Amino acid sequence: MSGNCATADAATWVGELDRLLPLRDLRVGPGFHAARLLVTVGGSPQGQVTVPLRGGRATVADLEAALITLGSPELVAPAPVATDPVTVVIATRNRPASLSRCLAAVLASDHPALSVIVVDNDPDDELTRDAVQATGSPRVRYVREPRRGASVGRNRGLAEARTELVAFTDDDTEVDPAWASRLAGAFAADPELACVSGPVLAARLGSAEERAADVALAWNKGFTARRFSLDDPPADSPIFPFAPGLFGIGANLAVRAAAARSVGGFDEAMGPGTPTHGGEDCEFLVRMILAGNILGYAPGAYLWHHHRPDQDALRAQLEGYAVGLGSFLAKVALSPRAGPSRCAGCPRRWPGCGTSPPARRVPVTPSRTTPTRPVPADCSPAPVPTCGPGGPCAGPAARCRR
């Protein structure tokens, strides 16, 4: 890569700035050349800005120049909140350290009626159980699931939940303290909603791989509330409702339990832990809306995702998502209104298919910064093939191998 890579793709500090608090110079640790700030108004997000850092510092004038691009804070309506009971389901496998970080954030929630189910999928040891016990919280319940797969884990959590509202997140996230309250608030504000998603923001952008993942994954869907239904297709999606990722992703998703159960839950032939590696959340959401449900996007219900920090892990993740995308598109093409049954109607012509037919975290104060050490690396990871063993074309056969 060229020598000006650091200028075009700089190590970036991630934080949060609330416009109702006094503005002051931002100072961060050494090694960062920019700061990406989630701008909130009383905790409700308005947008994100990136400001340059000189010697680890951005002045008040730098911040004001960036903030003016977002418009007046008076334009931001407070995110609705509610206290209806919520069960948070976290499906995990062999990542106890990441799970511990996730649980700490969930348990810091301001929601007064929150319970957590950790589904341990086909574990190799007892470290996940130990991580749950280490919380010392009676709100967290450990469930051991002998079958592998994120969809299996989510479905097990959905079956175990006893609340009307069930939220899903992954073990590599940190939710905002108001996350659960705002998910519940979205349902309370619009009783017709059957499913709600929210922004998934990068927690760290110190390494080139983390920044490349942030661009490639594009999980943040913006900060404008949206509502999706078959009766009112959005003008910005010509292939609605089949656009991958349009409705959100499984790392930040909440459902009315009865509605999710009525469509069969997540397709257990898809997702992490299966040959398809992904696609299960896109497919589930499409199935939800095809069943006549209304889906919503709540920008106030945001969380932070820890992207893969090294090139090998990132490449494996992107290849997996490419295969998952192919699996999702194949299922949609073959049977748009199909349920989650495995290989229903799968033709033999798919290559490799042997089955007969039948996608305040870090406030701007030095005392609450999260250090992120920049890692010298190439500006972008190795390219992911668009077809072949690691691309979308492998998706149909991968789903059939489940």
Side-chain angles (χ1 to χ4, degrees):
M1 292 295 175
S2 63
N4 62 1
C5 173
T7 301
D9 181 35
T12 301
W13 183 87
V14 177
E16 184 172 339
L17 182 155
D18 197 292
R19 299 188 74 172
L20 297 187
L21 299 178
L23 201 59
R24 60 181 180 179
D25 287 0
L26 167 66
R27 299 179 187 273
V28 306
F32 295 101
H33 302 283
R36 180 186 291 180
L37 305 175
L38 173 65
V39 179
T40 60
V41 180
S44 297
Q46 184 178 23
Q48 285 186 300
V49 297
T50 300
V51 296
L53 297 174
R54 291 174 292 277
R57 175 173 174 262
T59 66
V60 169
D62 294 327
L63 298 173
E64 289 176 336
L67 292 174
I68 199 170
T69 64
L70 296 179
S72 171
E74 296 177 355
L75 300 174
V76 180
V81 297
T83 59
D84 303 87
V86 175
T87 300
V88 178
V89 173
I90 307 169
T92 186
R93 183 176 188 273
N94 296 343
R95 300 208 295 190
S98 184
L99 174 66
S100 294
R101 180 182 60 204
C102 176
L103 284 173
V106 172
L107 292 174
S109 171
D110 64 7
H111 194 288
L114 184 75
S115 58
V116 184
I117 297 175
V118 174
V119 182
D120 194 4
N121 288 89
D122 186 27
D124 289 336
D125 50 44
E126 303 303 322
L127 294 179
T128 296
R129 184 191 62 183
D130 294 345
V132 171
Q133 292 178 344
T135 67
S137 174
R139 295 185 293 165
V140 184
R141 182 156 62 99
Y142 173 85
V143 175
R144 191 183 188 101
E145 168 55 57
R147 298 175 298 152
R148 191 176 301 187
S151 291
V152 171
R154 290 173 183 153
N155 285 345
R156 177 67 183 274
L158 182 63
E160 296 276 346
R162 296 295 176 263
T163 57
E164 179 189 3
L165 302 181
V166 178
F168 300 95
T169 192
D170 294 341
D171 61 16
D172 52 4
T173 69
E174 291 181 83
V175 304
D176 181 77
W179 173 71
S181 296
R182 290 173 177 170
L183 286 174
F187 286 108
D190 187 349
E192 290 187 323
L193 292 180
C195 180
V196 174
S197 65
V200 178
L201 310 174
R204 296 164 62 97
L205 294 170
S207 74
E209 288 77 17
E210 289 168 327
R211 296 189 295 277
D214 191 54
V215 172
L217 297 173
W219 282 342
N220 178 17
K221 306 302 179 183
F223 299 99
T224 301
R226 302 194 68 176
R227 197 173 189 268
F228 302 97
S229 72
L230 287 178
D231 293 336
D232 187 19
D236 60 348
S237 180
I239 59 171
F240 176 85
F242 303 111
L246 175 65
F247 308 116
I249 66 169
N252 189 0
L253 196 64
V255 298
R256 294 193 190 275
R261 291 170 184 146
S262 71
V263 300
F266 293 86
D267 188 336
E268 296 180 1
M270 300 175 70
T274 74
T276 71
H277 302 289
E280 82 295 344
D281 43 6
C282 296
E283 190 276 335
F284 169 75
L285 291 168
V286 167
R287 205 159 12 94
M288 284 283 285
I289 205 161
L290 288 176
N293 292 299
I294 297 174
L295 280 55
Y297 178 78
Y302 60 89
L303 55 74
W304 305 88
H305 182 268
H306 290 266
H307 296 331
R308 302 298 188 266
D310 62 87
Q311 192 164 103
D312 289 343
L314 174 59
R315 182 184 178 90
Q317 182 185 37
L318 294 182
E319 287 182 348
Y321 287 159
V323 175
L325 173 62
S327 177
F328 160 71
L329 294 174
K331 182 172 181 180
V332 166
L334 291 170
S335 184
R337 295 181 180 272
S341 58
R342 298 175 185 172
C343 283
C346 180
R348 281 188 177 276
R349 66 175 176 271
W350 289 116
C353 180
T355 304
S356 299
R360 303 357 169 187
R361 165 83 172 77
V362 191
V364 183
T365 60
S367 61
R368 292 188 60 190
T369 61
T370 296
T372 308
R373 183 177 60 194
V375 180
D378 289 341
C379 289
S380 60
V384 175
T386 57
C387 206
C393 295
R399 184 176 183 277
C400 293
R401 290 199 301 271
R402 179 70 165 98

